[in-house]
Amino acid sequence: MSLLKKFMSLALCAVLTASLFLSSGVFMVSAKKSDFVVEGTVLVEYIGEDSEVVIPSDMGITEIGDYAFAWSWDITSVTVPDSVIKIGELTFVMCEGLEEIKIGAGNPAYSSVSGVLFNKAKTLLVRYPAGKPQVSYTIPNGVTAIGSYAFGGCAVLTNIVIPTGVQTIGVQAFYGCW
């Protein structure tokens, strides 16, 4: 009987420790390949439940399609592999919790600065994450275009400073900004 009690105590401790880590956000499980719906080399949908999503680099994904992460309220971060050379305009639409989009330095098409998505040359602001908590944002000098839906759904953002070099503003770039 004593051995059974020790085993049960250890099991209970393990469960409590795991729940503590999970509730504090310290413990994180990577997204599984089965969390991604891929057609050919296009990521068409994320169906997982992780808040911090890392797209696996060994899946051969070259494009993230429109709506792939759409309406994923709980996602706070997405890490894009270097293999991705195209991201759809509406990929992150209604991702109200998204605070950062991470791009590796080796990506030939995209870059990110403080979680904001740009083309590699940083002349096009592609997407400002809707969940960033800042109320003000200054678009960096050198940006000449703001992409379609780039600031879509950024309800917290109340002030955007646009440099004089910006020549093009895409369709509904500020849709849903209050």
Side-chain angles (χ1 to χ4, degrees):
M1 186 76 165
S2 175
L3 186 60
L4 180 59
K5 282 184 179 180
K6 285 182 181 179
F7 175 76
M8 294 302 286
S9 292
L10 286 173
L12 180 60
C13 284
V15 169
L16 290 174
T17 302
S19 68
L20 174 66
F21 281 127
L22 289 171
S23 66
S24 68
V26 173
F27 182 76
M28 186 179 84
V29 177
S30 301
K32 303 176 295 294
K33 288 183 181 180
S34 61
D35 291 341
F36 301 94
V37 178
V38 179
E39 293 177 3
T41 61
V42 180
L43 171 57
V44 294
E45 186 178 7
Y46 174 71
I47 56 174
E49 296 180 4
D50 294 324
S51 61
E52 295 182 19
V53 178
V54 177
I55 302 170
S57 60
D58 62 348
M59 290 183 71
I61 296 170
T62 61
E63 179 179 344
I64 304 173
D66 278 338
Y67 306 105
F69 289 94
W71 296 279
S72 297
W73 313 108
D74 296 329
I75 292 177
T76 59
S77 174
V78 175
T79 301
V80 178
D82 290 348
S83 60
V84 172
I85 56 172
K86 183 177 180 195
I87 298 174
E89 290 178 339
L90 299 169
T91 296
F92 301 107
V93 69
M94 300 305 292
C95 290
E96 295 177 354
L98 186 62
E99 296 180 14
E100 66 179 341
I101 301 165
K102 298 177 185 177
I103 306 290
N107 188 294
Y110 295 98
S111 60
S112 65
V113 177
S114 300
V116 179
L117 180 63
F118 294 89
N119 67 345
K120 186 66 172 185
K122 296 182 182 96
T123 56
L124 169 65
L125 190 154
V126 178
R127 181 68 183 168
Y128 183 93
K132 283 185 89 56
Q134 290 78 13
V135 296
S136 182
Y137 179 69
T138 300
I139 296 172
N141 288 325
V143 171
T144 59
I146 299 170
S148 296
Y149 311 100
F151 289 92
C154 294
V156 173
L157 196 58
T158 58
N159 183 45
I160 301 170
V161 178
I162 302 173
T164 57
V166 172
Q167 301 168 359
T168 307
I169 297 177
V171 175
Q172 297 187 355
F174 302 100
Y175 179 80
C177 294
W178 312 108

